[in-house]
Amino acid sequence: MTSPDLDEISAALAGHGLIQRGGFVFDHGEAAPNGPTGRPVRSVLLVGQAGAEPWPCFLRWREAQPANLENPLDSWAREVIGQVAREFGAHAVSPSDKPYLPFQQWAMRAEGLRPSPLGILMHPEYGLWHAYRGALLFEAELEFAEVREQNHLCDLCPGKPCLKACPVDAYSEAGFAYERCLEHVRGASGGGCRTQGCLDRNACPYGLAYRYPADVQAFHMKSYAGL
């Protein structure tokens, strides 16, 4: 089976503001999802973004959709990544597909990243301002660059400001207090979070060149809080 050209895939994704986020080949005998023909896949190529690069593409698409469309960003990502999958003979999957696939484990394996105290994977260039929007599953065995161990910036960060900016201490060494966070964001005192995004995430000193603009953060916070 002929392997697809990774440069051609990159060019197709770039038209939507998306990028390749690394990949890996499943070990022989390792459990793997099924591909386009129903056989277990050999390779996973993660697809995502750095910063808010896809935002203009998403907004143009959104203008042509029903106003009451649920989960529009997920729908857009499924559509455009699905188009690329069909072009290159892959099966497209999404982090929100059920049953859930181990996207974070795949991402750590593909890029050698580790979680930040907020749970978001810390990238040595993008900081916390990146995302995984889907994956392309191939029955062919792709050749990926060797994954190099990355400097985990959180280990080098003095004071951990990402654990100190939240007004309700939603993040701590003990984990994420989801209900407390949600109550605050939805409440009268959560206006700053609703319009500017998560204050803990914004307190991180890394990847500032990729920080999402305020309108993008507000969109994500509104979706998260169901507002």
Side-chain angles (χ1 to χ4, degrees), residues 174-190:
F176 178 42
Y178 170 77
E179 294 293 343
R180 188 192 309 161
C181 171
L182 204 56
E183 181 180 4
H184 171 72
V185 172
R186 290 172 173 170
S189 60

Side-chain angles (χ1 to χ4, degrees), residues 46 76 104 127 150-151 162 201 204 226:
L46 276 295
W76 169 80
Q104 188 166 40
Q150 307 279 9
N151 288 329
C162 67
R201 189 177 188 179
C204 176

Side-chain angles (χ1 to χ4, degrees), residues 97-182:
D97 288 344
K98 294 182 180 179
Y100 295 121
L101 291 165
F103 261 83
Q104 188 166 40
Q105 285 78 16
W106 286 356
M108 290 190 286
R109 185 171 175 178
E111 294 195 288
L113 307 182
R114 289 163 51 194
S116 68
L118 306 187
I120 305 168
L121 296 182
M122 173 57 74
H123 191 278
E125 180 179 358
Y126 313 141
L128 302 179
W129 304 105
H130 63 99
Y132 299 90
R133 294 292 166 208
L136 300 174
L137 307 183
F138 293 91
E139 294 177 4
E141 189 167 310
L142 277 62
E143 292 188 13
F144 298 106
E146 182 180 354
V147 179
R148 297 181 179 180
E149 185 176 353
Q150 307 279 9
N151 288 329
H152 187 50
L153 297 179
C154 300
D155 289 342
L156 309 175
C157 182
K160 301 292 186 293
C162 67
L163 296 178
K164 299 175 180 177
C166 176
V168 294
D169 296 323
Y171 289 99
S172 69
E173 301 284 349
F176 178 42
Y178 170 77
E179 294 293 343
R180 188 192 309 161
C181 171
L182 204 56

